[in-house]
Amino acid sequence: MRFRPCIDIHNGQVKQIVGGSLKDAGDQAQENFVATQDAAFFAKLYQKAGLQGGHIILLNPPSSEYYESTKSQALQALGAYPGGMQIGGGINADNAMEYLNAGASHVIVTSYVFKDGKISYENLEKIVKSVGKEHLVLDLSCRKKDGDYYVVTDRWQKFTDMKLDLDALRELGSYCDEFLIHAVDVEGKARGIETELVQLLAEYGEIPMTYAGGVGSFADLDALRQYGKNHLDVTIGSALDLFGGTMEYEKVLAYMR
């Protein structure tokens, strides 16, 4: 299990928000924390610790008045830590290379691949052709419905028909280098991990997977290691002291070592 740090950027600022609260209308979100430092500060911090494969997420859509300031922050972070971080948010086959050329190790996609509630293999193949499988991360962020987990898109508001199970992971894993999976219902709440989802993901284990959602204590990291069979990497957001939480960054690094 490795620690994969994050830089979430909304309205041109590094933030931590409550999962599922993000709305494009009015660029609104329920905020847990707003940083005074810029995105490059956090990128350099992660570089200093030798943390590889964290993710930068642009939380504003291209239609937002804040999009350019959010994108500018993201590009500065990539420049501060070239090759060290992944990036997602509004990525498609046409703009993906811009981010790789700016220093991203991988691009992360969701909505471009899941269109109108279902997977678009045409778009999936386009982006694989554009950047190569080795530079692609599929974000399979999900919520529970009728007892099963389904991939959600469009700021985590829209359910797709893609049920997240072993068959889906095996099929999609042939197109990408890694998965990023937010447990949306617990994301940003730091009240414990989604154990059932973690157990499902642990059964796969064929390519790297980063789990995000609900980690609020070192006991949660113990649980993630146990239920995830040490197959899953982890992101910690709102619970980290860098973002106003109680889990000390240096102690997290020591735990992972």
Side-chain angles (χ1 to χ4, degrees):
M1 184 165 74
R2 294 175 294 171
F3 175 45
R4 304 285 199 107
C6 62
I7 303 173
D8 294 347
I9 308 170
H10 182 245
N11 295 359
Q13 293 177 288
V14 176
K15 295 183 182 180
Q16 283 293 309
I17 66 166
V18 175
S21 73
L22 195 61
K23 292 180 173 57
D24 289 348
D27 298 296
Q28 295 177 335
Q30 184 180 338
E31 296 170 349
N32 281 331
F33 180 82
V34 181
T36 56
Q37 304 96 337
D38 63 11
F41 167 86
F42 291 97
K44 290 173 186 172
L45 191 70
Y46 303 151
Q47 182 184 43
K48 184 179 178 183
L51 297 172
Q52 287 274 343
H55 54 274
I56 301 166
I57 303 294
L58 290 74
L59 293 174
N60 293 101
S63 58
S64 166
E65 64 177 298
Y66 295 101
Y67 178 73
E68 288 304 325
S69 61
T70 290
K71 181 179 176 181
S72 174
Q73 283 285 314
L75 292 174
Q76 288 173 43
L78 292 177
Y81 188 7
M85 299 198 74
Q86 307 168 356
I87 191 163
I91 306 287
N92 57 54
D94 295 324
N95 66 11
M97 282 307 301
E98 176 187 359
Y99 293 103
L100 292 180
N101 290 337
S105 65
H106 296 69
V107 292
I108 305 165
V109 297
T110 313
S111 298
Y112 178 70
V113 167
F114 292 93
K115 304 290 286 184
D116 302 317
K118 53 180 63 46
I119 191 165
S120 166
Y121 285 99
E122 179 183 356
N123 282 359
L124 180 55
E125 287 165 5
K126 272 185 188 175
I127 197 151
V128 171
K129 186 176 180 181
S130 172
V131 302
K133 175 181 183 286
E134 68 276 13
H135 294 297
L136 182 63
V137 177
L138 288 180
D139 183 337
L140 303 182
S141 296
C142 58
R143 307 180 93 147
K144 207 168 190 182
K145 183 174 74 170
D146 302 326
D148 291 306
Y149 289 98
Y150 286 85
V151 175
V152 289
T153 64
D154 302 303
R155 312 291 175 252
W156 299 337
Q157 306 294 320
K158 185 173 185 178
F159 278 93
T160 71
D161 64 2
M162 173 64 75
K163 184 164 78 170
L164 193 62
D165 56 19
L166 286 176
D167 288 340
L169 290 168
R170 290 185 184 114
E171 179 184 358
L172 295 175
S174 64
Y175 289 92
C176 64
D177 198 45
E178 297 186 10
F179 290 127
L180 171 63
I181 301 175
H182 291 83
V184 175
D185 288 327
V186 297
E187 171 70 17
K189 298 178 181 176
R191 295 178 191 157
I193 64 170
E194 192 89 70
T195 306
E196 188 179 341
L197 175 60
V198 168
Q199 289 175 311
L200 165 65
L201 299 177
E203 291 303 312
Y204 172 66
E206 292 177 22
I207 63 174
M209 288 187 286
T210 300
Y211 169 86
V215 174
S217 67
F218 288 94
D220 291 332
L221 289 181
D222 291 339
L224 184 63
R225 193 187 292 277
Q226 176 189 346
Y227 291 110
K229 299 180 179 177
N230 214 23
H231 289 167
L232 307 182
D233 295 337
V234 62
T235 284
I236 307 170
S238 300
L240 205 61
D241 65 350
L242 298 179
F243 304 121
T246 58
M247 295 180 72
E248 293 178 36
Y249 173 67
E250 294 295 340
K251 288 185 178 178
V252 170
L253 296 183
Y255 178 97
M256 293 298 170
R257 285 195 290 265

